């Protein structure tokens, strides 16, 4: 066997073993909720968390297996085989050479025993996960969840590295890693702290997304976020309530909405009945189904002006920004031709905001700026001025960005901190300090 082939084998076995561990654990811990678009693993919550936990546990698993593995049956070009040992009870031969004794059969048996132990490790890591999670996960705290993730990941990587030790001639560890307690404690700390820090960062992002989904009444999406946050951070608090309580309330709301959808919609249903069905579908994030109901309401005898706005929003949520832009522009064209009143102004402002968002995603800068300028003219609010300021800032127009950011802070004192942050950023980017008002 060539040196290059053996070198490739040393990398192939642990990498392929790690991938098998990822799929095995994910399969054993598949979430019970089959309605989720993307199945997540219980306890680990997301694929990336599972991968980070396994990689963080790999160095510690290498250390443990290297200290306990049997001698590797390596092949070398050296004159004397590495497995030869000198029997302390042997006597010199007639020519003065010592008698050499080897134990190839016992070493081979030990390697098979180690291989069997590695398979047992793999079984415990894969099938034990389901038992642990099903019985203990509902009662996990943040600390116990972190320790459970660490133990499961370490067990899985011990199985992977044990197989690697049996099937390949793994290189010896550095002396300091084998003898230094500092190195061992460092590896243990890495195994626990790296995933914990990553989970904390991921949980904060999920918490923000969950809060936005609840504000938008997107209960289907909120249910997914709440379930993942419950798995990753069991002690999280959302809107001054524990995540378990929030998750239960969202689940109950989703069940009510699904029950409403199970009632058939007649082909002779009125526009208002279709509108209520669209609202329920959008709350469950079933946007494709909502689009099919909305399209007949955007033209013809059943035309409802608000359907254009809802259609643009549905296309926006499924990231079909060209169709979203067309729907919002149709809404702008309709409401511009209507008599000016409060309904016309609010509907036109919503349409211009949708046009601006779609134009940004399509990288149509001129249209984006025009849309947000029209938004500010139609509805002069602090939030709309801040949207225009952010648009100008992204387009390197620092003077206009600073101007509208300042107006937003004057109209709404709660936006003062955000405005000052934007002004501070502008003053240090693109030499904008000469353009920022200091009043």
């Amino acid at each position: 066997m060539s040196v290059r082939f053996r070198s490739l084998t040393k990398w192939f076995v642990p990498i392929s073993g790690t991938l098998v561990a990822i799929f095995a654990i994910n399969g054993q811990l598949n979430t019970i909720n089959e309605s989720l678009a993307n199945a997540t693993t219980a306890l680990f919550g997301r694929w990336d968390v599972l991968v980070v936990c396994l990689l963080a546990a790999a160095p510690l698993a290498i250390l443990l297996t290297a200290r306990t593995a049997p001698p590797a049956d390596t092949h070398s070009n050296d004159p004397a085989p590495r497995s030869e040992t000198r029997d302390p009870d042997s006597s010199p031969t007639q020519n003065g050479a010592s008698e050499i004794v080897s134990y190839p059969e016992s070493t081979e048996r030990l390697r098979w025993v180690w291989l069997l132990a590695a398979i047992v490790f793999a079984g415990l890591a894969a099938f034990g996960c389901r038992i642990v999670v099903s019985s203990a996960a509902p009662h996990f705290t943040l600390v116990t969840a972190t320790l459970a993730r660490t133990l499961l990941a370490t067990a899985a990587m011990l199985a992977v590295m044990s197989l690697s030790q049996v099937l390949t001639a793994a290189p010896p560890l550095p002396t300091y890693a084998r003898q230094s307690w500092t190195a061992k404690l460092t590896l243990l700390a890495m195994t626990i702290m790296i995933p914990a820090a990553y989970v904390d960062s991921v949980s904060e992002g999920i918490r923000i997304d969950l809060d936005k989904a609840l504000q938008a009444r997107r209960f289907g999406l909120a249910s997914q976020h709440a379930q993942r946050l419950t798995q990753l951070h069991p002690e999280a608090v959302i809107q001054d309530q524990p995540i378990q309580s929030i998750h239960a309330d969202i689940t109950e709301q989703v069940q009510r909405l699904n029950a409403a959808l199970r009632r058939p919609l007649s082909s002779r249903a009125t526009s208002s009945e279709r509108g209520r069905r669209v609202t329920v579908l959008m709350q469950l994030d079933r946007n494709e189904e909502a689009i099919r109901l909305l399209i007949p309401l955007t033209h013809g005898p059943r035309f409802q002006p608000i359907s254009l706005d809802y259609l643009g929003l549905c296309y926006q949520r499924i990231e079909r920004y060209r169709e979203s832009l067309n729907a919002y522009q149709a809404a702008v064209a309709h409401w511009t031709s209507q008599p000016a009143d409060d309904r016309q102004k609010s509907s036109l402002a919503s349409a211009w905001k949708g046009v601006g968002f779609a134009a940004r995603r399509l990288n149509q800068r001129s249209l984006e700026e025009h849309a947000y300028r029209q938004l500010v003219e139609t509805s002069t609010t602090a939030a709309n001025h801040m949207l225009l300021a952010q648009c100008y800032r992204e387009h390197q127009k620092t003077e206009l960005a600073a101007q509208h950011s300042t107006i937003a802070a004057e109209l709404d004192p709660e936006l003062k901190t955000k405005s000052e942050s934007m002004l501070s950023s502008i003053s240090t980017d693109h030499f904008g300090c000469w353009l920022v008002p200091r009043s």
Side-chain angles (χ1 to χ4, degrees):
M1 184 183 295
S2 66
V3 176
R4 177 176 296 181
F5 181 79
R6 291 202 305 271
S7 178
L8 291 175
T9 305
K10 292 175 185 178
W11 286 104
F12 174 76
V13 173
I15 291 175
S16 59
T18 302
L19 293 177
V20 170
I22 292 172
F23 285 104
I25 295 175
N26 187 74
Q28 289 299 314
L29 299 183
N30 246 350
T31 180
I32 300 174
N33 187 357
E34 297 178 355
S35 64
L36 293 181
N38 297 314
T40 58
T41 58
L43 184 62
F44 291 94
R46 300 193 334 186
W47 277 85
D48 53 338
V49 174
L50 173 57
V51 172
V52 168
C53 290
L54 291 175
L55 294 180
L60 181 62
I62 293 174
L63 175 64
L64 294 176
T65 53
R67 292 184 61 85
T68 57
D73 185 17
T74 59
H75 298 276
S76 175
N77 295 325
D78 295 339
R82 294 185 181 180
S83 61
E84 292 179 349
T85 58
R86 185 178 185 272
D87 188 349
D89 297 330
S90 63
S91 58
T93 59
Q94 294 181 353
N95 58 6
S98 299
E99 182 182 358
I100 303 299
V101 180
S102 60
Y103 302 94
E105 294 183 0
S106 61
T107 299
E108 188 66 22
R109 285 196 298 269
L110 186 58
R111 289 168 63 81
W112 279 107
V113 170
W114 193 254
L115 178 60
L116 179 61
I119 295 174
V120 172
F121 266 129
L124 291 176
F127 296 103
C129 293
R130 183 185 293 275
I131 299 175
V132 171
V133 172
S134 61
S135 60
H139 309 289
F140 276 162
T141 63
L142 178 60
V143 174
T144 54
T146 301
L147 293 178
R149 281 190 286 266
T150 301
L151 290 174
L152 292 177
T154 304
M157 293 311 296
L158 277 173
V160 171
M161 296 308 168
S162 298
L163 288 171
S164 301
Q165 287 282 353
V166 171
L167 299 177
T168 66
L173 288 174
T175 303
Y176 75 91
R178 289 184 282 110
Q179 299 180 354
S180 172
W181 279 103
T182 303
K184 297 171 185 176
L185 292 176
T186 300
L187 292 179
L188 179 60
M190 288 172 53
T191 305
I192 299 174
M193 298 306 297
I194 291 178
Y198 187 78
V199 166
D200 183 70
S201 176
V202 169
S203 299
E204 179 61 21
I206 295 176
R207 187 193 64 78
I208 294 173
D209 292 338
L210 173 58
D211 193 52
K212 291 180 180 178
L214 290 174
Q215 291 179 8
R217 299 183 63 80
R218 299 177 65 178
F219 298 111
L221 182 61
S223 178
Q224 297 182 30
H225 291 320
Q227 180 172 349
R228 292 194 177 102
L229 190 57
T230 302
Q231 295 164 351
L232 293 174
H233 198 316
E235 296 177 336
V237 176
I238 304 295
Q239 298 179 355
D240 297 327
Q241 296 185 46
I243 184 59
Q244 287 85 357
S245 176
I246 291 287
H247 189 199
D249 293 342
I250 295 174
T251 301
E252 183 179 352
Q253 179 66 21
V254 169
Q255 290 174 350
R256 286 198 296 265
L257 294 173
N258 283 322
L261 288 180
R262 283 193 289 270
R263 294 192 292 269
L265 183 67
S266 172
S267 58
R268 297 182 179 180
T270 63
S271 297
S272 60
E273 291 174 339
R274 288 177 176 268
R276 286 193 292 270
R277 178 60 63 95
V278 166
T279 301
V280 173
L281 288 170
M282 293 182 67
Q283 289 178 345
L284 291 173
D285 264 75
R286 294 165 62 172
N287 297 289
E288 290 84 356
E289 298 176 49
I291 289 172
R292 289 195 290 270
L293 288 177
L294 281 168
I295 289 178
L297 303 178
T298 60
H299 58 276
R302 289 187 172 184
F303 173 66
Q304 295 291 327
I306 196 173
S307 64
L308 294 170
D309 205 72
Y310 276 84
L311 184 63
L313 181 58
C314 286
Y315 279 128
Q316 180 187 112
R317 288 181 176 178
I318 60 176
E319 299 183 358
R320 293 171 59 178
Y321 298 115
R322 175 59 60 185
E323 292 90 339
S324 176
L325 178 61
N326 294 337
Y328 279 122
Q329 286 180 324
V332 167
H334 170 79
W335 289 111
T336 302
S337 63
Q338 301 302 306
D341 55 21
D342 291 341
R343 182 190 178 192
Q344 188 261 1
K345 288 183 62 177
S346 62
S347 300
L348 190 58
S350 177
W352 278 122
K353 186 182 294 185
V355 170
F357 186 88
R360 173 181 298 181
R361 294 294 183 173
L362 295 170
N363 201 28
Q364 298 184 16
R365 293 192 171 191
S366 298
L367 178 58
E368 180 189 352
E369 292 182 9
H370 174 71
Y372 285 129
R373 284 197 301 268
Q374 293 297 319
L375 173 63
V376 168
E377 292 178 8
T378 304
S379 178
T380 308
T381 65
N384 292 340
H385 275 284
M386 186 59 70
L387 282 175
L388 183 56
Q390 292 172 344
C391 172
Y392 280 134
R393 178 191 174 188
E394 293 175 1
H395 297 173
Q396 312 290 321
K397 298 182 179 181
T398 54
E399 184 175 8
L400 290 172
Q403 175 185 340
H404 286 280
S405 176
T406 303
I407 294 175
E410 293 174 351
L411 292 175
D412 185 357
E414 292 185 359
L415 291 177
K416 185 176 181 180
T417 301
K418 188 174 182 179
S419 174
E420 290 177 348
S421 176
M422 180 179 292
L423 292 175
S424 176
S425 176
I426 291 173
S427 68
T428 56
D429 294 342
H430 314 296
F431 300 97
C433 56
W434 307 106
L435 306 175
V436 178
R438 296 296 179 183
S439 58

